[in-house]
Amino acid sequence: MGLSPRPEVRDVAHGGEPWMTTRLDFLVNWARANSLWPMPFGTACCAIEFMATAANKYDLARFGMERMSFSPRQADVLICAGRVPFKLAPVLRRIWQQMPQPKWAISMGACASSGNGIFDNYAVVQGIDTVIPVDVYVPGCPPRPEGLIYGIMLLQKKIMNERSSDPTLRREMEPDPKSQLYIPPQAIDEMSENFGNSVHQTRSSL
Amino acid sequence: MTSPTAGAGGGGAFSPVVAGSASSETAPPQTPRDVPRSGGAANPSAEALRQKFGSAIQRVDVVWGDTNVYVDRNRVGEIVRWLHDDPSQRYDFLADVTAVEFRDPEMPIEVIWHLRSLPYRRFLRLKVLLEKSQPLAVSSVWPIYKSADWLERECYDMFGIAFEGHPDLRRLLMWEGYKEGFPLRKDFPMRGRFSRSEQLRQALAANPEARYSMHELSIAQAFEDLPDEMRRRLNKGEKVGE
Amino acid sequence: MATTRRTVDVELSTTGLDAHGRPQRVPLVTDESGNVTTLDAPTGIEPDLAGEHMLINIGPQHPATHGVLRLVLELDGETVVRCIPHIGYLHCGFEKSGEYRQYNQIIPYTDREDYLNSPGNNVAFALGAERLFGIEITERCKVLRVIAGELSRIMSHLVWAGTTCIDIGAFTPFLWMFYQREAIYKLMEDWVGARLTTSVTRVGGMAADIPDGWVDQLKHFVRTFPKTMSEVDRVVTRNGIWVGRTIGLGVMTADEAVNYGLSGPMVRASGVAYDVRKDFPYLDYETYDFDVPVGTNGDVYDRYLVRMEEMRQSVRILEQAIQRLPDGPVNIDDHRVILPPKSRATSDMESMIHHFKQVMEGPRPPIGEVYLPVESPKGEKGYYMVSDGTSKPVRWRIRPPSFVNLSAIPKMVEGHLLSDVIAINASIDIVMGEIDR
């Protein structure tokens, strides 16, 4: 890429990179950001709000998400909308692995982002970032359509700030072959912990 | 009360099956008001059951307007069959099969059937008490009500109660091979028995494409593709479910 | 690129091997006397002479399964010989969580299981809890709950109609339906602040009284909504493609429907006039004037007609409810059960203690149990609650209508084509949140 030898990665955007590369980056990122084809991995209530966002009042097509791609092979961004139980986690992982690069993930809703305090139980994955790498988290239960649109715009900004010279991008996740976890177990346990001392809030009664 | 729709079949006399058709009351049902906590008119089926089955009916309670009938665990199949077939009872709708475990560990587990008679507009709750010291098993009502298929499977999945006579008692909501136990038991902690990373590891360990039951694989004749170890275990005759 | 071998780990569930060393098929059918027989040659369908049956997997991630449902189909060419549904991909431990929550804290759970019918579920739960507590709610609260329940029925049927149209191929009605849904969202948002997961009731009353001008908004909705209904009617109901794709599909006779535990529009389309609002009434439904549509054939087309007609009847009920909405308090006066008004809780000692007790411990019902079903858009929905005198229930059971309705899908789908499976699945109106809980 570019007309000069491969430059080193610098902290400052555009700093030290050839003009041609930056123009090419801009073009590629602009094209990617404005034509994200979502793969709606909709499970629960957030899926309904996603459908409402895609419908006529809060139209998602004007953000380039004209075509909902239900096949992961043709999708750019996986929008995980809804709670993910452990039974569904391998399915989510497999869908993510079936998506070709470049790909991003939006975790929509509190359940996908963190397991949602009300679903802190034996069945629910406490945040899909323990299963797949997530780019944008959209809070809410369910998030308003404006919230989801804000999350998508954040993702678009993130994409615009990508640089082709950055070697940390476009790396496919490599789960540990024995455990299939892609981050260490201690990190998963820490991320799944309760926030604060919510465990003890019921002490005044049974 | 009912208006047949202008369906594309039309023609000929169509008479809908109306709930309450066998009921002797002429006035339409009313919203119950000021229902007492206990006492009140019992469902007439309770008395009919007492007369027919005698000592198999252990207790009859009326709680908040619903009639609870406690029956002997060995005669549940007969009793339910009679309630379904007898023309004066005609409990044709099985609303629910579930179980309750109380917080006091000494108390038995109750298995509950919610039966509804559409022709007579009645509701009955049958209960069986299963002592925890004995294996949790009760006969299935699947031969009588097809709706019991999944309801009993779920009850097995959540409580570990085996329904004898059910054709395919496997786990339904949790995955087959779920090792942590039966979730709705009181000794099962809310967050599960294993740590989060261990739960995730166990969930991710199975290839999602491989979650077929054996009878599904028999259709695809993929038995030959199984690894040797699996085939050896099958040869020894693995049990259904857990 | 090197080729890799992959070992397939298989979950085992089998009755063992037969004499030839092949895995035994689990029998799924019974003969007339109720004995279980094996399905060797399916009735009326000759095995394909050219070869074996195919195993096709639909889901759990699939646009047309209405959530995370997995259908494994055994196909003979295009014809379905057997269907094995797998659920549980959205099982989130609702019933277990409910045992650790106070009664008012369970209300957000009721929103999220059948998320298309959130206000309706809230009403169902509150009614059951109030029976368990032994309290009678105010008249205004009853009418507001009828309004919430019927709005929620319309909301749910709108999604059903929109997604079924998409499944069968018509995209435009989906957008029309969702536009009307936005109108209802606006109503709910003005009332309780949330669009979808409303938590609109509390034990003993409602979360809030309706704001000024809300009734006028509702009147406007009731006036304009039937136009959308007639638009969709014009486009879909007598459409040749629609009728051709839905007539005669997934037929359940009246006896079968009752035996399989179907309820709601499913059983009414099969000709059984069972509606919980008429037969086991609640909230004074016997005083409202409405009809219950009943189908003749029990196929997908009848289910569609029944649901469309139900939406019109719901509008009728809403008009009557608006007429009769009485003034007065929304919540009951007993502050051992429901929170006192905030102004009193910060000034009056007794109210402050009530508030404290309820927030920290929660209202405690007497020992007992209750099962109070309501007519949800999917069918007979009820919450079975068992109390041991503490503020948290011993058992909180959701009787899920879609769960029981879906269990009949192997019966409905046998002998139909693969594309019909999608149409039949859509006609059941399943919500996986309710099925898996």
Side-chain angles (χ1 to χ4, degrees):
Chain A
M1 277 251 200
L3 297 174
S4 55
R6 190 179 182 80
E8 291 173 333
V9 177
R10 314 271 171 117
D11 284 350
V12 179
H14 308 298
E17 289 189 7
W19 177 86
M20 194 63 181
T21 316
T22 53
R23 290 297 97 201
L24 211 54
D25 274 345
F26 173 77
L27 197 63
V28 167
N29 291 342
W30 176 81
R32 283 176 179 165
N34 291 296
S35 69
L36 288 169
W37 281 5
M39 198 206 95
F41 193 85
T43 47
C45 351
C46 281
I48 308 296
E49 280 294 53
F50 177 80
M51 280 156 56
T53 314
N56 31 12
K57 190 164 176 190
Y58 303 94
D59 184 17
L60 267 188
R62 51 198 170 123
F63 291 92
M65 297 191 159
E66 176 66 45
R67 179 182 176 261
M68 303 287 150
S69 165
F70 286 95
S71 162
R73 303 284 184 197
Q74 297 165 0
D76 296 315
V77 58
L78 175 82
I79 301 186
C80 183
R83 43 194 192 258
V84 174
F86 285 109
K87 191 167 177 179
L88 196 58
V91 177
L92 178 62
R93 169 71 67 82
R94 180 50 56 93
I95 298 279
W96 177 254
Q97 287 173 336
Q98 284 175 346
M99 284 170 70
Q101 293 282 2
K103 58 186 176 185
W104 297 271
I106 295 180
S107 151
M108 174 184 177
C111 294
S113 306
S114 70
N116 200 341
I118 60 174
F119 292 120
D120 188 3
N121 55 32
Y122 62 92
V124 178
V125 172
Q126 299 295 299
I128 59 171
D129 45 8
T130 54
V131 182
I132 60 173
V134 172
D135 290 287
V136 173
Y137 299 84
V138 181
C141 189
R144 277 195 64 101
E146 289 97 334
L148 177 61
I149 289 175
Y150 179 64
I152 290 172
M153 287 170 68
L154 272 184
L155 180 65
Q156 287 179 333
K157 215 189 299 189
K158 183 172 184 178
I159 295 173
M160 291 304 289
N161 284 333
E162 289 179 352
R163 298 286 163 258
S164 60
S165 51
D166 185 353
T168 62
L169 292 176
R170 311 279 94 82
R171 268 210 291 227
E172 191 57 49
M173 64 184 284
E174 282 155 42
D176 173 28
K178 278 220 300 282
S179 68
Q180 296 299 320
L181 304 173
Y182 83 108
I183 46 180
Q186 300 90 321
I188 292 180
D189 284 334
E190 249 176 62
M191 284 200 284
S192 310
E193 263 296 303
N194 302 308
F195 180 72
N197 65 341
S198 61
V199 194
H200 306 296
Q201 271 176 6
T202 56
R203 221 179 245 162
S204 65
S205 70
L206 197 81
Chain B
M1 185 194 286
T2 62
S3 51
T5 58
F14 162 70
S15 54
V17 175
V18 179
S21 53
S23 167
S24 52
E25 298 174 21
T26 44
Q30 307 271 325
T31 304
R33 274 174 208 282
D34 294 318
V35 179
R37 181 171 150 230
S38 58
N43 189 330
S45 305
E47 190 48 48
L49 277 171
R50 267 229 165 90
Q51 285 177 358
K52 171 95 178 145
F53 291 97
S55 62
I57 310 299
Q58 296 163 347
R59 195 164 111 217
V60 173
D61 276 336
V62 181
V63 179
W64 295 119
D66 293 335
T67 306
N68 297 346
V69 179
Y70 293 76
V71 301
D72 180 7
R73 64 188 283 178
N74 299 315
R75 301 193 60 190
V76 167
E78 244 186 278
I79 293 175
V80 172
R81 171 69 70 182
W82 181 77
L83 283 172
H84 180 261
D85 294 341
D86 190 73
S88 69
Q89 304 302 319
R90 290 178 66 187
Y91 280 88
D92 49 0
F93 188 82
L94 175 72
D96 205 1
V97 179
T98 183
V100 179
E101 183 181 350
F102 290 90
R103 292 192 172 117
D104 180 358
E106 310 289 316
M107 286 187 71
I109 294 184
E110 288 182 358
V111 183
I112 293 164
W113 289 265
H114 284 154
L115 295 169
R116 201 180 282 285
S117 165
L118 293 184
Y120 288 99
R121 283 207 194 102
R122 287 185 196 148
F123 178 74
L124 188 68
R125 187 178 297 137
L126 275 185
K127 292 196 193 189
V128 156
L129 300 176
L130 298 179
E131 295 294 335
K132 292 188 205 174
S133 52
Q134 294 169 353
L136 301 173
V138 79
S139 57
S140 160
V141 299
W142 181 81
I144 310 164
Y145 300 102
K146 294 290 169 284
S147 53
D149 185 4
W150 279 15
L151 290 168
E152 288 177 351
R153 271 180 75 180
E154 189 207 332
C155 206
Y156 164 71
D157 189 5
M158 293 285 118
F159 286 92
I161 297 171
F163 287 87
E164 291 148 359
H166 193 279
D168 187 19
L169 197 68
R170 287 177 290 145
R171 282 195 182 263
L172 185 68
L173 297 177
M174 306 309 293
W175 60 94
E176 295 168 38
Y178 180 66
K179 293 191 187 61
E180 288 184 70
F182 298 108
L184 277 173
R185 300 294 305 270
K186 287 288 190 281
D187 58 356
F188 187 93
M190 185 164 89
R191 292 187 182 88
R193 297 211 161 99
F194 304 149
S195 76
R196 288 297 184 197
S197 51
E198 178 60 25
Q199 286 176 335
L200 197 58
R201 195 194 65 77
Q202 285 189 4
L204 291 174
N207 190 337
E209 291 154 3
R211 281 207 199 283
Y212 288 100
S213 60
M214 273 324 294
H215 59 84
E216 288 161 340
L217 281 183
S218 69
I219 301 164
Q221 296 177 337
F223 186 62
E224 284 84 23
D225 295 334
L226 288 179
D228 288 324
E229 192 244 314
M230 300 283 173
R231 274 188 279 181
R232 255 180 279 124
R233 274 161 59 190
L234 275 184
N235 266 316
K236 293 194 214 133
E238 291 266 330
K239 251 175 23 94
V240 172
E242 293 269 329
Chain C
M1 191 162 56
T3 52
T4 50
R5 284 186 68 86
R6 194 177 67 180
T7 313
V8 171
D9 274 328
V10 174
E11 300 299 311
L12 295 175
S13 136
T14 178
T15 48
L17 300 178
D18 59 16
H20 304 287
R22 319 212 103 247
Q24 268 181 355
R25 277 183 168 194
V26 177
L28 288 176
V29 284
T30 53
D31 59 18
E32 295 80 20
S33 47
N35 298 321
V36 170
T37 60
T38 53
L39 184 70
D40 278 321
T43 47
I45 304 164
E46 293 304 318
D48 189 15
L49 288 173
E52 316 116 5
H53 296 165
M54 239 191 334
L55 191 74
I56 292 273
N57 180 52
I58 301 183
Q61 189 276 320
H62 193 272
T65 51
H66 297 271
V68 281
L69 168 67
R70 181 173 169 223
L71 291 173
V72 177
L73 301 170
E74 179 182 356
L75 293 178
D76 174 22
E78 277 271 321
T79 318
V80 175
V81 167
R82 191 156 61 154
C83 167
I84 301 155
H86 292 254
I87 60 173
Y89 289 95
L90 200 55
H91 173 69
C92 295
F94 275 80
E95 296 179 0
K96 184 81 179 175
S97 302
E99 293 170 13
Y100 292 77
R101 302 277 181 271
Q102 304 164 12
Y103 287 87
N104 281 314
Q105 293 174 335
I106 296 180
I107 292 180
Y109 285 95
T110 62
D111 282 330
R112 286 153 177 84
E113 27 124 0
D114 181 357
Y115 36 84
L116 299 178
N117 180 40
S118 296
N121 284 2
N122 297 148
V123 166
F125 181 80
L127 287 175
E130 278 143 17
R131 174 76 64 87
L132 191 64
F133 278 75
I135 54 186
E136 292 281 332
I137 48 177
T138 64
E139 290 303 317
R140 186 173 170 86
C141 182
K142 283 188 191 165
V143 179
L144 282 179
R145 283 187 183 176
V146 168
I147 292 176
E150 295 305 319
L151 273 179
S152 143
R153 190 182 316 277
I154 295 175
M155 276 209 303
S156 172
H157 283 332
L158 283 174
V159 176
W160 173 81
T163 50
T164 303
C165 286
I166 285 190
D167 284 350
I168 298 191
F171 183 67
T172 318
F174 170 80
L175 294 174
W176 293 339
M177 306 290 191
F178 263 75
Y179 193 71
Q180 291 302 320
R181 252 181 91 85
E182 291 288 337
I184 305 182
Y185 279 168
K186 184 90 178 53
L187 282 169
M188 297 311 295
E189 192 181 9
D190 287 342
W191 186 358
V192 280
R195 287 155 53 100
L196 186 64
T197 49
T198 47
S199 299
V200 70
T201 58
R202 296 286 180 267
V203 178
M206 305 294 267
D209 202 348
I210 51 176
D212 297 332
W214 196 85
V215 180
D216 296 325
Q217 263 189 20
L218 182 61
K219 280 189 192 154
H220 177 79
F221 172 76
V222 161
R223 237 189 356 256
T224 55
F225 177 68
K227 281 197 214 95
T228 307
M229 293 288 300
S230 47
E231 265 182 4
V232 174
D233 227 358
R234 238 195 340 256
V235 170
V236 173
T237 307
R238 304 196 81 83
N239 186 311
I241 301 177
W242 181 268
V243 170
R245 275 206 69 175
T246 55
I247 283 261
L249 246 55
V251 175
M252 293 287 276
T253 62
D255 290 327
E256 282 173 347
V258 173
N259 194 256
Y260 273 85
L262 305 186
S263 50
M266 294 287 291
V267 78
R268 289 197 283 279
S270 296
V272 179
Y274 168 51
D275 185 326
V276 185
R277 293 174 294 177
K278 292 284 192 189
D279 298 315
F280 299 92
Y282 52 96
L283 290 176
D284 298 336
Y285 262 106
E286 69 272 11
T287 55
Y288 290 83
D289 182 29
F290 66 102
D291 294 325
V292 170
V294 175
T296 51
N297 297 324
D299 57 13
V300 173
Y301 189 62
D302 276 356
R303 290 172 200 147
Y304 159 78
L305 289 175
V306 163
R307 288 192 177 103
M308 297 301 269
E309 186 58 35
E310 273 185 16
M311 280 201 262
R312 293 190 191 97
Q313 297 298 322
S314 285
V315 170
R316 216 169 130 189
I317 298 177
L318 279 175
E319 285 163 359
Q320 293 167 48
I322 294 172
Q323 286 303 316
R324 72 163 73 182
L325 185 64
D327 291 325
V330 173
N331 297 339
I332 59 170
D333 210 11
D334 187 355
H335 294 299
R336 287 169 302 175
V337 176
I338 196 161
L339 286 175
K342 208 48 173 263
S343 51
R344 294 225 324 253
T346 47
S347 53
D348 171 5
M349 192 59 188
E350 192 191 335
S351 301
M352 180 182 284
I353 294 178
H354 281 312
H355 182 105
F356 178 82
K357 251 326 210 142
Q358 280 195 42
V359 170
M360 293 307 286
E361 188 186 347
R364 282 164 299 149
I367 298 179
E369 58 196 322
V370 99
Y371 174 69
L372 208 162
V374 310
E375 180 71 25
S376 91
K378 317 286 184 298
E380 176 192 326
K381 173 83 179 237
Y383 294 98
Y384 173 58
M385 300 175 239
V386 180
S387 155
D388 61 346
T390 60
S391 60
K392 301 183 162 78
V394 167
R395 175 85 170 100
W396 174 55
R397 157 82 181 164
I398 307 166
R399 191 264 174 195
S402 323
F403 180 83
V404 187
N405 291 350
L406 184 66
S407 67
I409 202 176
K411 172 91 179 59
M412 284 195 272
V413 143
E414 242 178 71
H416 290 295
L417 301 176
L418 180 56
S419 48
D420 298 337
V421 172
I422 301 298
I424 296 172
N425 187 33
S427 76
I428 309 178
D429 196 3
I430 52 172
V431 174
M432 293 313 291
E434 182 178 63
I435 293 178
D436 292 335
R437 286 155 283 126

